[in-house]
Each structure stands twice: as structure tokens, then as C-alpha cells.
Amino acid sequence: MNKFREIFLDLEQKIINKEYPPQTLLPSENQLIQIYNVSRETIRKALNLLKNAGYIQKKQGKGSIVLDMNRFEFPISGLTSFKELQNAQQIHNETKVAELKKIAVSTKLQQITDWPVASEAWKLVRQREIDGEVVILDRDYLNAGIIPELPLQKAKDSLFAYFENELGLEISYAQKEITVEPVNKEIRDLMTLTAEDQHVVVVRSLVYLEDTRCFQYSESIHRLDKFRFVDFARRRRV
């Protein structure tokens, strides 16, 4: 086995065992050279393996910061609200409503949702705080013809519970698209990001009722280091 891979495996085990806890620094390159008695190139190869595996993030002038590997699982398939995800995974969070207002459907939104241009829609922007940091930014657009009222307290809680239990809507399915995109000024202003956070994961969803009407378009923006996206796939011959 290559020496740099041996060092990678040793450091990986120490990170898993919390000898190097999350948000702490690994020993410097010079210290690692002394610890393992190898060249700088060997240490850098081992650190690159750790970075590519998601264990560390290199910060200019600081060194290698250990990342929190206990990421929350976000299901790709299925249709689950954040409130349900929070309860299932015991995520302690606070939701803040940054914006809630009625807007006229623009041409761009019409092209996405097929709602008539200039018809009314709700725009809802929510910040999801976990451990005091805004790690999710949710932007929701809701057809006001289907959802005539959207109280602030309902917006802070579970939208799906409000839609299903109080408005009697039958939510059926969603089309999802997941992309990794550069951070823009709005995202940086509304989320807790560092200078090194240059990209976010964006989950776009069109959500439909049982009668096939699209009533919601959402953009859920996630910080890269806090979530992993999971799915279950079964082999299907085609």
C-alpha cells in the first residue's frame, strides 16, 4: 500500500474516533511530516484524499479543518416536508420567515409552473437555523388561487400539515431537480457561510395535487457540509 494511503487511513480513523473533533484543526503539514516521517508531497497527497472524501476543508492561512461527518440525510425520492424530516432525525432547528407576500406571477415563473402571468402567488422565504447557523434557505412560490390564505404562523411551521389538515388538499407527487450552484449575494446575505463556501446544493421542486394541478414551486438551498442526499434504488431491466 502507498504510504500516503496509509496516512490517509490513519487520519481517517482518528477523525472518526473524534481524536480530531469536528471544527478543530489537523496538525500542520510540518507537524504531520514529523509525526509520520515522510515527505511534504506524501502528506499533501494524504490530505487531498481526506479533502476529497469530505473529512476536511483546507483554509488559507489556517490549515485543515475537520468537518462534521454527522450530516443530516435529505431524501431525494419521496415527498417529505422539512418538519417531518426534522422530527424523524431529531434536528433541533428554528425557522425564521424572511419574506411573506403576494406577488404577480412573472413570465419566468409562468414558464416554470404554467400558472397564468399576472395571477396571484405567495412568495415565502424561510431561513432554517441548526445550531445557530442558517444552513437551509427555502424559497417557496404558492398558487394563491389554490391557497388563498397563508398565515405567518403556518409558514413558520409545516406547510404540508396546513395544506392537508386545514385546507383539505391532497398532495400527490413532485418533480425534483438537484444542482450544485455558485453562491450569489442574496444567498450569502441570508445564510451562514464562510468565504470558502463558494457553492450550495439547490433542490428545485414542482409539487402537484392528486388532480395533477401544480400548486407549489420551491427552491431549497442547502449548505454543502451539513447534508447528504440519499436515495434507494432497485435494479430494473430496460
Side-chain angles (χ1 to χ4, degrees):
M1 182 183 294
N2 292 327
K3 189 65 178 177
F4 68 85
R5 189 167 293 279
E6 290 180 12
I7 296 170
F8 160 72
L9 292 173
D10 185 60
L11 291 171
E12 177 187 46
Q13 198 59 46
K14 287 177 178 176
I15 291 171
I16 291 171
N17 292 336
K18 300 293 183 13
E19 291 183 48
Y20 299 126
Q23 304 307 313
T24 64
L25 288 169
L26 286 183
S28 68
E29 285 188 6
N30 287 334
Q31 290 172 321
L32 291 172
I33 288 169
Q34 296 298 318
I35 292 170
Y36 292 104
N37 192 27
V38 294
S39 68
R40 188 175 302 277
E41 181 184 0
T42 298
I43 290 300
R44 286 181 174 174
K45 285 181 178 180
L47 292 176
N48 280 333
L49 288 178
L50 287 172
K51 180 182 177 183
N52 293 338
Y55 288 108
I56 63 170
Q57 176 66 44
K58 293 183 178 180
K59 290 200 173 183
Q60 189 72 28
K62 288 189 176 181
S64 301
I65 296 178
V66 179
L67 298 178
D68 186 358
M69 295 305 294
N70 295 318
R71 299 180 184 181
F72 301 110
E73 293 189 354
F74 194 96
I76 297 172
S77 61
L79 193 49
T80 306
S81 71
F82 181 79
K83 184 74 171 182
E84 293 164 339
L85 182 67
Q86 167 198 337
N87 292 336
Q89 299 190 37
Q90 297 182 328
I91 303 172
H92 301 291
N93 86 100
E94 181 180 357
T95 295
K96 294 182 178 179
V97 175
E99 186 176 355
L100 174 59
K101 65 180 182 182
K102 275 187 176 179
I103 61 169
V105 173
S106 64
T107 301
K108 181 179 178 181
L109 186 57
Q110 187 274 334
Q111 291 172 347
I112 296 170
T113 62
D114 207 28
W115 301 338
V117 171
S119 63
E120 285 191 327
W122 291 99
K123 180 183 179 182
L124 170 62
V125 180
R126 292 174 292 177
Q127 297 165 293
R128 311 285 197 179
E129 282 190 6
I130 297 176
D131 297 328
E133 296 183 328
V134 180
V135 297
I136 301 177
L137 181 66
D138 283 338
R139 288 194 294 239
D140 292 284
Y141 299 89
L142 302 147
N143 188 327
I146 298 173
I147 301 158
E149 299 296 332
L150 185 55
L152 178 62
Q153 191 55 46
K154 302 299 180 183
K156 292 179 66 174
D157 198 28
S158 171
L159 286 182
F160 278 15
Y162 172 57
F163 298 157
E164 292 176 323
N165 301 333
E166 298 189 36
L167 299 186
L169 299 176
E170 294 186 49
I171 301 170
S172 181
Y173 63 95
Q175 295 175 338
K176 294 186 180 182
E177 173 190 78
I178 300 176
T179 57
V180 176
E181 301 180 13
V183 172
N184 60 29
K185 185 179 185 303
E186 180 190 5
I187 292 172
R188 193 167 292 282
D189 287 345
L190 292 174
M191 295 183 72
T192 306
L193 301 174
T194 67
E196 284 74 24
D197 292 316
Q198 296 297 318
H199 292 83
V200 287
V201 175
V202 182
V203 182
R204 292 183 173 85
S205 302
L206 285 165
V207 190
Y208 295 81
L209 299 175
E210 188 67 33
D211 60 11
T212 74
R213 285 182 297 166
C214 174
F215 75 96
Q216 179 182 18
Y217 168 62
S218 66
E219 298 173 344
S220 191
I221 302 163
H222 297 71
R223 211 172 75 183
L224 286 169
D225 64 320
K226 282 294 182 181
F227 292 86
R228 59 177 181 169
F229 294 80
V230 299
D231 196 6
F232 172 79
R234 189 180 296 280
R235 166 75 172 151
R236 182 166 64 93
R237 298 176 74 92
V238 294

